[in-house]
Amino acid sequence: MHTDFPNQVLNQHLHRMLSDIDPAAIDLLRSHLEWVEIAAGETLMQQGGPGDSMYLSISGRLRALVQDEDGEERMVRELGRGEVIGEMSLYTDEPRSATVVAVRDSVLVRLAKAQFTHLLASSAQMSISLTRQMIKRLNAANTRAAMPPPVTMALLPITAGVQALEFAQGLAVHLGRLGRVCLIDADSVDAALQQPGVSRSTNAEVNRRIALHLDQLELSHDFVLLVGDTHASAWTQRCSRYSDEMLLLADARQPATLHETETQCLVQRSKRNDAAQILVLIHGADVLCPSGTRQWLARRPVTDHVHVRPALDRDMARLARIQSRTAIGLVLAGGGAKGLAHMGLFRALHERGIEIDFVGGTSIGAIMAAMVGSNRPLDTLMPIARTAFGKNPTGDYSLLPLISLISGQRLRRILQVALQDIFGHQPDIEDLWINYFCVASNYTQAHEQVISHGPLAKSMLASVAIPGAFPPVLIDGDLLCDGGTFNNFPVNIMRQRRGVGKVIGMDLGTRKPRPLALDDVPGTWALLRDRFRPRAKRRYRLPSLMSYLLNVSIMYSTSRQREYRRLTDLYFNPPLDRVGMLQWGRFDSIAQQGYNYACEVLDAMSEEQLQPFRPHA
């Protein structure tokens, strides 16, 4: 690894990290560094082991894992090039806090503890600079992406009918707006190796030269696309071993059976160090809504999936944003009829060219999020939503309210009809064009439950099942109810989605409390008499039983409003104090209020502030 090119890359990383110190000090640091190569599957450091060195990643990809008290390992984050690894132990003398394994062949430089101590003692400037870097990294620890952008991606066709090279060329165009892109297939590698005077008589020599060629391409580009063959060739195997992530390209019209490439090239080393596999289902431009996605996912252990229509630039641009970790996530909160304002927000975002790549929500936010996830035109969605909620989904009271005040049958029918009108069938969550999740509360297990697979209608019913108001929903043997009990505005969940770089959210939490001028809550008969008075002349401004149940269900989440706002890059909290939680008949008025408020917020932003939320031109 002592060629000029890796050293140039090392210098770039050091100057980026330590830009405030003079070149002589950087040269001093370089003289103490040792090159390290680690193969895919090997362990760089072990949790609980001695903190005897720190590393700087030059190329490749590693994964940090933490073992809990029960012996279960969970992935904390992935580490790409330019990452500093294990530096904390050098300062604290404590054991390693995580295990780090190589996802693929990786190159790093190592600074041993003895050399680190010598540097701090011999150069005050270096000591101050390294300490400053440590403080910056600690401050940024909570905002770092758990999955940094992959540099090298393998595009592997796994069905007939996929033009992998053509697809890669289209993806390269959109990635090219985000960084430097290089596209490589077997023919281009073979051509690069055809140099006069160099022997190709042995496989070892060929393999060495291919590896060096790919290393140089990776170190000089932001994205390298390796296009595999249509079969499990030696080149396809190299693509799968050398990549940070693998895009499995499948024609959605073909059978969901496993392909030769998957059975021979994608044998998992283990969950702890296997490169992420992303299923890319390819559709024609005229497909209204995907179907049968669950069959594809059931047959392969993929990390994620994406639906793409290559003929549509917006779909290819969405894939590029996901892979570059610049995707936009939209989060919509629960809040009864106030949630109709979400349609106004969506309209305002759409008018300003802001594309949504992921969507999620709770309760009424889950329903509105599913509409956004359909990727249908706003002119199509608005009449469907207006018709659906004009039927008062909370109006069918139970004759015998043994488990809920409302039977829930009307809401179930409303959602089924709306989904049929939007999608053309009853879809699963996995079938949405835009990846979606909703949040429910698991009564059986007493925890928050994020739902990202299964029938869409049933999942939405679970998310909106306000305790005491709507009946709970059974999923996999567990009773699920309204997600607002645990998380009414799930921006933290969106932050964890693979590919999300920015989060937009509309919170419907109360903006200010409204005290009541009463000493005691009136009795039943007094309240009943008061209800017969005209609204303007009522003495007791108490919520109805339904409104009370709705508000109590989201009280805990409302108390976390400040935390949620901090996690949201573009935050909306419209003044809907005069909107009742059950005023479904005010669809147009509430949607307009959401639109007007969103326009005020967006129009007050400069073009520079809006740019991170718009697709790159």
Side-chain angles (χ1 to χ4, degrees), residues 482-527:
D482 190 285
T485 305
F486 278 98
N487 195 344
N488 195 52
F489 187 42
V491 290
N492 59 323
I493 305 299
M494 184 61 78
R495 279 283 175 205
Q496 299 166 9
R497 300 294 96 171
R498 186 193 71 89
V500 170
K502 297 288 184 182
V503 175
I504 301 172
M506 181 175 272
D507 188 4
L508 302 177
T510 303
R511 295 160 63 94
K512 58 182 179 181
R514 291 191 295 173
L516 297 173
L518 298 171
D519 293 329
D520 294 296
V521 176
T524 302
W525 290 110
L527 285 173

Side-chain angles (χ1 to χ4, degrees), residues 38-54:
I38 180 172
E42 291 185 355
T43 299
L44 179 69
M45 59 182 65
Q46 190 73 40
Q47 182 176 347
D52 56 0
S53 57
M54 62 181 283

Side-chain angles (χ1 to χ4, degrees), residues 548-583:
Y548 180 67
L549 289 172
L550 280 164
N551 280 297
V552 167
S553 70
I554 63 173
M555 189 175 293
Y556 171 66
S557 292
T558 301
S559 70
R560 298 163 62 188
Q561 192 173 36
R562 183 176 299 176
E563 174 192 349
Y564 290 148
R565 183 166 189 166
R566 180 180 59 80
L567 292 172
T568 310
D569 298 292
L570 186 48
Y571 178 82
F572 297 87
N573 186 211
L576 301 172
D577 298 330
R578 295 185 179 275
V579 175
M581 301 280 274
L582 301 175
Q583 292 182 320

Side-chain angles (χ1 to χ4, degrees), residues 245-351:
E245 287 188 359
M246 291 174 272
L247 302 183
L248 310 184
L249 308 181
D251 185 334
R253 298 169 299 182
Q254 301 292 327
T257 53
L258 290 176
H259 186 266
E260 171 193 353
T261 294
E262 296 176 277
T263 57
Q264 297 187 28
C265 299
L266 305 184
V267 177
Q268 287 191 312
R269 296 183 291 273
S270 72
K271 289 182 179 179
R272 72 200 314 252
N273 65 294
D274 188 48
Q277 300 174 23
I278 315 303
L279 176 64
V280 180
L281 286 165
I282 299 173
H283 304 267
D286 58 346
V287 174
L288 179 65
C289 175
S291 61
T293 308
R294 218 191 310 182
Q295 297 175 16
W296 288 90
L297 299 176
R299 287 170 167 80
R300 38 188 60 82
V302 296
T303 304
D304 205 349
H305 76 282
V306 184
H307 292 287
V308 175
R309 292 159 289 190
L312 301 185
D313 279 346
R314 65 182 302 190
D315 280 21
M316 294 298 286
R318 183 174 74 250
L319 178 59
R321 289 191 295 272
I322 292 171
Q323 291 306 113
S324 63
R325 306 300 190 254
T326 59
I328 304 297
L330 176 64
V331 179
L332 305 178
K338 293 183 178 184
L340 302 178
H342 293 320
M343 295 304 292
L345 169 66
F346 183 47
R347 175 185 163 196
L349 295 174
H350 177 73
E351 289 177 351

Side-chain angles (χ1 to χ4, degrees), residues 320-395:
R321 289 191 295 272
I322 292 171
Q323 291 306 113
S324 63
R325 306 300 190 254
T326 59
I328 304 297
L330 176 64
V331 179
L332 305 178
K338 293 183 178 184
L340 302 178
H342 293 320
M343 295 304 292
L345 169 66
F346 183 47
R347 175 185 163 196
L349 295 174
H350 177 73
E351 289 177 351
R352 286 154 182 79
I354 296 175
E355 293 280 351
I356 303 302
D357 305 307
F358 290 84
V359 66
T362 300
S363 199
I364 184 64
I367 296 174
M368 296 302 174
M371 291 189 172
V372 177
S374 71
N375 212 23
R376 297 295 305 279
L378 194 60
D379 291 344
T380 300
L381 296 176
M382 288 296 282
I384 295 173
R386 184 182 296 108
T387 300
F389 291 101
K391 297 175 182 177
N392 186 7
T394 58

Side-chain angles (χ1 to χ4, degrees), residues 382-431:
M382 288 296 282
I384 295 173
R386 184 182 296 108
T387 300
F389 291 101
K391 297 175 182 177
N392 186 7
T394 58
D396 56 332
Y397 289 92
S398 299
L399 294 177
L400 291 173
L402 299 179
I403 195 168
S404 64
L405 294 174
I406 297 170
S407 72
Q409 292 304 311
R410 182 182 296 181
L411 178 60
R412 184 184 299 272
R413 289 193 300 270
I414 286 172
L415 291 181
Q416 288 174 344
V417 171
L419 292 181
Q420 188 68 37
D421 291 342
I422 294 171
F423 297 97
H425 66 281
Q426 296 297 312
D428 290 330
I429 288 177
E430 299 93 324
D431 294 328

